[in-house]
């Protein structure tokens, strides 16, 4: 494909439908084995309290280092994996990795939570809460150190099915977050009915809030709405100092984004945390981060 951008000719390689289909087919058929072979891993992105600058925890984000296609981001392979009915395999893997990570922190005396992204398809599995309970018991992690992030459009697609499972997870003591808030054609009314604790403002608004008054207004109203419903408000996509300062001034509770850190592989996360940790004397170790 040839196009011009600012007078300059740009050539882009656009794969054919057949190639896209083949690639998806390969991803789906290879996924289980990829996990077994260690091609799939979990990266972690820190979440930081805006008022205290304390590192509260991390979000687990899956990665696939494919031998042929290179590094695949979840936006490419998660939908294919979901469509193929393999979401249980994916979620099981990420959840286990995440709980092992929290357990290690607990053993070091650190109280850090982990957030795992759930596909709505997980909520179609009636045994899902039992599986999660079993995993929490196996790694001896208290439920309040686990957060599940779900997109609003996902939950709203089939609320009849999703709601009972969500209520069950919430009753277990797991923290529930609505991800990418503001993007679906949602409904503030629905948010009130969901058993959620946290709302994550979609990064598109946070990225735009420095230059676009509309985005700024959306961010401000989500912070206000979230607080009026008693929810923790998290901003994702915090890339600039200005955005962080504005969010802090608005009273947004938690920030996540490249300004603080990109998602990191486990060893790099450890180094990142160590460089920013001040261990307070006493029984409890406190993580203090200076941005
Ligand atoms: P998400 O849950 O909304 O995750 C946030 C995405 O924003 C991540 O992309 C993260 O790398 C990116 N991000 C974080 N900070 C910034 C920033 O400052 N600027 C910009 N431009 N981007 C930032 P990633 O890792 O590619 O994940 C994309 C999506 O894939 C996630 O969106 C989530 O919906 C899904 N996903 C990731 N891991 C899993 C998983 O284990 N299971 C399921 N079901 N979905 C997953
Ligand atoms: Mg998320
Ligand atoms: Mg998001
Ligand atoms: Mg997303």
């Amino acid at each position: 494909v040839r196009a011009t951008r600012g007078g300059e000719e740009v050539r882009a390689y656009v794969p054919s439908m057949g190639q896209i289909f083949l690639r998806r087919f390969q991803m789906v058929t290879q996924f289980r084995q990829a996990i077994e072979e260690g091609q799939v891993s979990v990266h972690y992105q820190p979440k930081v309290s805006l008022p205290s600058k304390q590192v509260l925890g991390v979000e687990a984000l899956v990665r696939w280092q494919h031998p042929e296609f290179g590094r695949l981001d979840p936006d490419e392979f998660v939908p294919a994996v979901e469509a193929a009915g393999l979401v249980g395999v994916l979620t099981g893997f990420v959840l286990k990795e995440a709980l092992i990570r929290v357990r290690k922190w607990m053993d070091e005396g650190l109280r850090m939570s982990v957030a795992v992204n759930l596909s709505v398809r997980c909520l179609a599995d009636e045994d899902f809460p039992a599986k999660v309970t079993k995993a929490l018991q196996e790694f001896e992690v208290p439920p309040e150190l686990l957060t599940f992030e779900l997109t609003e459009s996902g939950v709203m697609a089939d609320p009849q099915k999703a709601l009972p499972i969500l209520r069950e997870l919430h009753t277990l003591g797991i923290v529930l977050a609505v991800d990418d808030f503001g993007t679906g054609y949602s409904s503030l009314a629905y948010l009130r009915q969901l058993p959620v604790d946290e709302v994550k403002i979609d990064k598109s608004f946070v990225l735009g809030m420095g230059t676009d008054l509309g985005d700024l207004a959306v961010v401000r109203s989500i912070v206000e709405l979230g607080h009026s419903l008693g929810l923790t408000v998290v901003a994702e996509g915090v890339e600039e100092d200005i955005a962080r300062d504005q969010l802090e001034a608005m009273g947004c509770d938690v920030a996540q984004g490249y300004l603080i850190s990109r998602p990191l592989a486990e060893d790099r996360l450890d180094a990142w945390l160590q460089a920013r940790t001040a261990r307070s004397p006493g029984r409890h170790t406190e993580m203090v981060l200076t941005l």
Side-chain angles (χ1 to χ4, degrees), residues 59 117 149 179-180 200-203 236:
E59 176 175 4
N117 291 283
E149 298 188 2
D179 208 347
D180 301 349
K200 295 188 81 173
I201 308 169
D202 189 70
K203 59 176 176 286
E236 58 174 33

Side-chain angles (χ1 to χ4, degrees), residues 152 178-183 186 188 191 199-200 202 205 222:
E152 49 171 342
V178 181
D179 208 347
D180 301 349
F181 192 76
T183 49
S186 71
L188 312 179
L191 189 59
V199 56
K200 295 188 81 173
D202 189 70
F205 306 111
I222 297 174

Side-chain angles (χ1 to χ4, degrees), residues 32-223:
R32 273 178 203 273
Q33 207 187 341
I35 288 184
E36 281 164 25
E37 288 177 2
Q39 295 167 23
V40 182
S41 66
V42 178
H43 284 205
Y44 299 94
Q45 188 176 37
K47 290 167 98 170
V48 172
S49 158
L50 274 173
S52 76
K53 309 293 181 275
Q54 211 172 319
V55 185
L56 303 172
V58 293
E59 176 175 4
L61 295 156
V62 70
R63 299 287 180 265
W64 183 354
Q65 190 62 45
H66 192 282
E68 188 186 334
F69 306 140
R71 181 177 132 157
L72 297 176
D73 277 334
D75 283 328
E76 183 170 10
F77 70 87
V78 171
V81 162
E82 280 176 358
L86 292 171
V87 84
V89 177
L90 168 69
T91 308
F93 170 75
V94 175
L95 181 63
K96 186 177 167 197
E97 293 290 305
L99 293 179
I100 290 173
R101 186 58 270 187
V102 171
R103 184 67 244 173
K104 280 186 196 157
W105 282 320
M106 287 175 73
D107 293 342
E108 292 165 16
L110 298 177
R111 191 183 164 81
M112 294 262 287
S113 71
V114 72
V116 171
N117 291 283
L118 284 193
S119 152
V120 244
R121 288 178 195 247
C122 298
L123 302 182
D125 176 8
E126 281 168 26
D127 297 331
F128 185 68
K131 289 174 185 165
V132 176
T133 304
K134 207 173 146 230
L136 287 168
Q137 283 167 352
E138 185 182 347
F139 299 105
E140 296 179 77
V141 171
E144 63 271 18
L145 292 184
L146 176 64
T147 299
F148 282 135
E149 298 188 2
L150 283 133
T151 61
E152 49 171 342
S153 48
V155 177
M156 299 321 165
D158 193 355
Q160 310 295 68
K161 208 167 218 168
L163 271 175
I165 308 274
L166 280 182
R167 290 203 188 97
E168 215 177 319
L169 293 169
H170 202 238
T171 306
L172 288 173
I174 295 162
V175 181
L176 298 181
V178 181
D179 208 347
D180 301 349
F181 192 76
T183 49
Y185 64 110
S186 71
S187 54
L188 312 179
Y190 253 129
L191 189 59
R192 198 166 59 85
Q193 291 169 27
L194 292 177
V196 292
D197 311 280
E198 182 178 301
V199 56
K200 295 188 81 173
I201 308 169
D202 189 70
K203 59 176 176 286
S204 59
F205 306 111
V206 178
L207 290 170
M209 67 189 280
T211 47
D212 186 317
L213 287 175
D215 286 339
L216 184 64
V218 170
V219 171
R220 198 182 295 281
S221 54
I222 297 174
V223 173

